[in-house]
Amino acid sequence: MSDPVQHPLIRPVRQGNAFEEAVERILDSIRLGLFRRGERLPPERETAALLGISRATLREALRELQAAGVLEVVRGRYGGTFVTGRTALPDEDLPRVDPAEVEDVIVFRAVVEPAAAELAARAALSAAARSHLRACLRQVEESPPEDYRPADARFHIAVAELGGCPSLVRAVAEVRSRASDLLDRIPVLPVNLEHSDRQHREMADAVLTGDAPAARAAALAHLEGTAALLRGFLGHGAGEAASARGEAGDRGGAEAGTRPEDADGGPAEGRGGAGA
């Protein structure tokens, strides 16, 4: 196994959003030059150990990154998982995103949306309000991938509306709009949407049962998953990137490895999620 010091950004993920944060770590490593175009990732067993996740969870992350065009799997004696060099959608017409804007959206959401969920859980909800929230939850769960993000945004705004504070609803709507602009620039990851659906249900259950701390916690966990994907695909601040490059030096890529093994090292962790 290679020395983990050679991979400063491949560090253990937090267990709440293992899939999303694994995607973030891998994308960061590619963007910052630890794994360069055409180079092979370390073997599955090594990478999973560095991330502190099961190989089943790692495979999900690698499979989604392959589908997004970030990684390419080559079979055969000299095969493995190779970096294509792509870490974002190939839409050249979209203006480049300022990483500071990404961070601003992430921080703003982390302030207003958990507060909105907590306030909704503390409110005295009418039968009509409860029915509306359940309907919004069903809509997002039943939406096809191409319609998922608008339905997701509507669910979050519906949660904010239950709190009865128009200013907070406007704040949530504003940040949801900004987040949607960013999310449209990254691939829709099916595994991530499954995680998102589960956390939506956790949020809705906490709101409907009046459990304010659980509502806040569920909303925050949900947003952390989205934050990991936005940072992974759209990048961190320039200062952080420069610091990471300094740590990496000229090492650039992974050592040549063997073809990823087929045996799994254990069950996938309980994962968080954040479709949007």
Side-chain angles (χ1 to χ4, degrees), residues 2-32:
S2 302
D3 186 345
V5 173
Q6 294 183 342
H7 308 295
L9 288 179
I10 301 186
R11 57 193 187 278
V13 304
R14 294 169 296 181
Q15 295 306 300
N17 294 288
F19 165 79
E20 286 81 4
E21 292 188 21
V23 170
E24 178 188 15
R25 298 282 195 274
I26 295 168
L27 286 168
D28 273 343
S29 297
I30 295 170
R31 179 178 296 107
L32 299 176

Side-chain angles (χ1 to χ4, degrees), residues 1-270:
M1 179 180 292
S2 302
D3 186 345
V5 173
Q6 294 183 342
H7 308 295
L9 288 179
I10 301 186
R11 57 193 187 278
V13 304
R14 294 169 296 181
Q15 295 306 300
N17 294 288
F19 165 79
E20 286 81 4
E21 292 188 21
V23 170
E24 178 188 15
R25 298 282 195 274
I26 295 168
L27 286 168
D28 273 343
S29 297
I30 295 170
R31 179 178 296 107
L32 299 176
L34 276 73
F35 303 130
R36 290 184 280 210
R37 184 190 302 272
E39 290 186 323
R40 178 168 43 193
L41 296 185
E44 277 187 11
R45 188 184 303 278
E46 177 181 341
T47 304
L50 289 170
L51 291 170
I53 58 177
S54 76
R55 288 164 67 188
T57 297
L58 174 64
R59 284 175 183 158
E60 287 184 332
L62 295 178
R63 185 163 51 245
E64 297 296 352
L65 288 172
Q66 181 187 0
V70 175
L71 301 175
E72 178 183 11
V73 175
V74 177
R75 305 298 178 186
R77 181 177 178 183
Y78 300 104
T81 302
F82 292 85
V83 176
T84 66
R86 172 183 168 191
T87 56
L89 291 179
D91 191 339
E92 302 299 334
D93 295 330
L94 291 175
R96 193 172 187 278
V97 178
D98 183 352
E101 169 67 11
V102 177
E103 286 301 312
D104 186 72
V105 170
I106 288 171
V107 172
F108 190 23
R109 290 191 71 193
V111 172
V112 299
E113 293 202 38
E118 180 179 2
L119 187 63
R122 295 185 185 280
L125 303 180
S126 67
R130 292 172 179 274
S131 177
H132 178 62
L133 182 62
R134 293 190 183 99
C136 289
L137 178 62
R138 281 195 307 274
Q139 183 179 21
V140 69
E141 289 179 335
E142 295 171 359
S143 292
E146 61 270 21
D147 298 328
Y148 190 91
R149 285 170 177 162
D152 189 3
R154 184 66 191 96
F155 169 79
H156 284 268
I157 293 171
V159 170
E161 290 170 338
L162 297 180
C165 177
S167 294
L168 186 55
V169 174
R170 286 193 293 271
V172 171
E174 175 192 343
V175 76
R176 288 295 321 180
S177 176
R178 294 171 62 193
S180 293
D181 288 342
L182 297 177
L183 288 163
D184 285 343
R185 299 167 182 268
I186 71 175
V188 176
L189 307 183
V191 173
N192 171 250
L193 298 191
E194 294 174 7
H195 302 168
S196 182
D197 284 343
R198 186 179 69 245
Q199 289 192 328
H200 285 152
R201 290 191 293 272
E202 291 172 354
M203 289 173 59
D205 288 345
V207 168
L208 294 172
T209 58
D211 190 339
R216 171 180 278 275
L220 187 57
H222 181 60
L223 298 182
E224 286 174 348
T226 303
L229 294 184
L230 288 176
R231 288 180 176 125
F233 278 102
L234 300 181
H236 293 275
E240 181 176 347
S243 174
R245 281 194 294 271
E247 291 180 7
D250 294 327
R251 290 187 295 271
E255 297 178 352
T258 59
R259 182 179 63 83
E261 300 92 331
D262 293 328
D264 182 26
E269 289 84 355

